[in-house]
Amino acid sequence: MATIAIVGAGPGLGFSIAKVFGAHGYDVALIARNRSRLDQLVGWLGELEIAAAGYQADIMDRASLVQAFKDIAAGQGPVDVLEFSPAPRGPQAGMVLAGPLDVSVANVQPHIDFYVHGAITATGQVLPDMIERGTGTLLFTTGLSSVVPSPAMGNVGIAGAALRNWVLNLHDSLAGKGVYAAHVPLSLSADEADPETVAPHYWDLHTRGEGAEHLLSGDVLRSAPRTEEA
Ligand SMILES: NC(=O)c1ccc[n+]([C@@H]2O[C@H](COP(=O)([O-])OP(=O)(O)OC[C@H]3O[C@@H](n4cnc5c(N)ncnc54)[C@H](OP(=O)(O)O)[C@@H]3O)[C@@H](O)[C@H]2O)c1
C-alpha cells in the first residue's frame, strides 16, 4: 500500500489531505507535536476506514523529525508522497511577524528553521529512497508571500521565498528520475480557505505530476480539480 506522510498535520488542511489520499487507498502518516490531537485525527480517519498513524515530532527539533520518519518507515513502509504544510500556531519560540523595516536576524531565523530547515530535513528522510525506487511526490505548501512580497510578512516571506527557490530547483533537478516536486502557494481569503475544497487539488497535482509551482487561489478552487473532471 502507498503511504503519504503529512508534516504539520492538524485538523485543517492536513486532515483534509489525509482523507483525500486515504480515500484513494493510501496509508496516512501524520506528523505534528500534539499527541492527543494526532490520536484524535487517527481515530477520525479510522472511522472512515483509512489506515493512519500519528508520529509526534517538532519541526524545530530536527532529531524528533528524523526519528518520526524512521518510525514511519518501520511501521508503514516507504513514503510515496511527502506533503509539507505546517501552520505555526500555538507556542512557537520566536515566530513573530515583522515588516521589512523591523526584520532582524533574530526574527527571521525561526522562520528559516521552521520552513526551510524543516522541509529540507523532512525531504532528506524520503528523497534518497524515492530516487532509488524511481517514484515519489514532494509537495510543499506556503502562502502567497513566498511568491509576491508582502510587507506584512517581511520576515516570513524571506523563509517562504527561500523554500520556494529550493523546491523549484529540486523540481528541475529531479527531471527524469521519476520523482515529482512542486511548490504549492495558497492565496485564499478567509471565505475561500476551506480545506475540504483545497485538498482534492493536492491529489490532482500528485496524479498529474506536472509543473514546478501551482498557486491555489480562489479562482483555481472554483474550478474542479482536473482529475475529477476526467
Ligand atoms: N489563506 C491562505 O492562503 C491559507 C489558508 C489556510 C491555510 N494556509 C496554509 O496552509 C497550511 C496548513 O494550514 P492549516 O491550518 O489548515 O493546517 P492544519 O493541518 O490544520 O495544521 C497544521 C499543523 O501544523 C502543526 N505544527 C505547527 N508547528 C509545528 C511544529 N513545530 N512541528 C510539527 N508540527 C507543527 C500543528 O500541529 P501541532 O500543534 O500538534 O504541532 C498544526 O495543527 C499552512 O501552511 C497555512 O499557512 C493558507
Side-chain angles (χ1 to χ4, degrees), residues 8-15 31-34 37 57-60 85-89 92 114 141 186-188 193:
L13 186 60
F15 182 59
I31 299 175
R33 295 164 301 174
N34 186 307
R37 194 179 301 129
D58 185 343
I59 289 165
M60 302 299 250
S85 57
R89 286 192 297 264
Q92 299 274 3
F114 188 76
T141 304
L186 303 186
S187 175
L188 303 168

Side-chain angles (χ1 to χ4, degrees), residues 27-115:
D27 253 26
V28 175
L30 305 172
I31 299 175
R33 295 164 301 174
N34 186 307
R35 180 80 258 169
S36 59
R37 194 179 301 129
L38 282 169
D39 290 345
Q40 190 177 39
L41 297 179
V42 168
W44 289 341
L45 290 169
E47 288 169 15
L48 298 171
E49 299 188 355
I50 293 170
Y55 302 86
Q56 193 172 18
D58 185 343
I59 289 165
M60 302 299 250
D61 172 2
R62 234 60 75 201
S64 74
L65 189 54
V66 170
Q67 186 60 47
F69 279 97
K70 285 185 179 156
D71 294 342
I72 293 169
Q76 295 178 289
V79 170
D80 299 278
V81 178
L82 171 70
E83 196 279 320
F84 182 87
S85 57
R89 286 192 297 264
Q92 299 274 3
M95 290 192 71
V96 294
L97 286 182
L101 298 180
D102 297 317
V103 162
S104 67
V105 171
N107 66 34
V108 172
Q109 187 66 54
H111 294 284
I112 297 282
D113 285 341
F114 188 76
Y115 292 105

Side-chain angles (χ1 to χ4, degrees), residues 11 38 95 105 125 127 171 194:
L38 282 169
M95 290 192 71
V105 171
Q125 309 317 302
L127 185 55
H171 171 88
D194 173 9

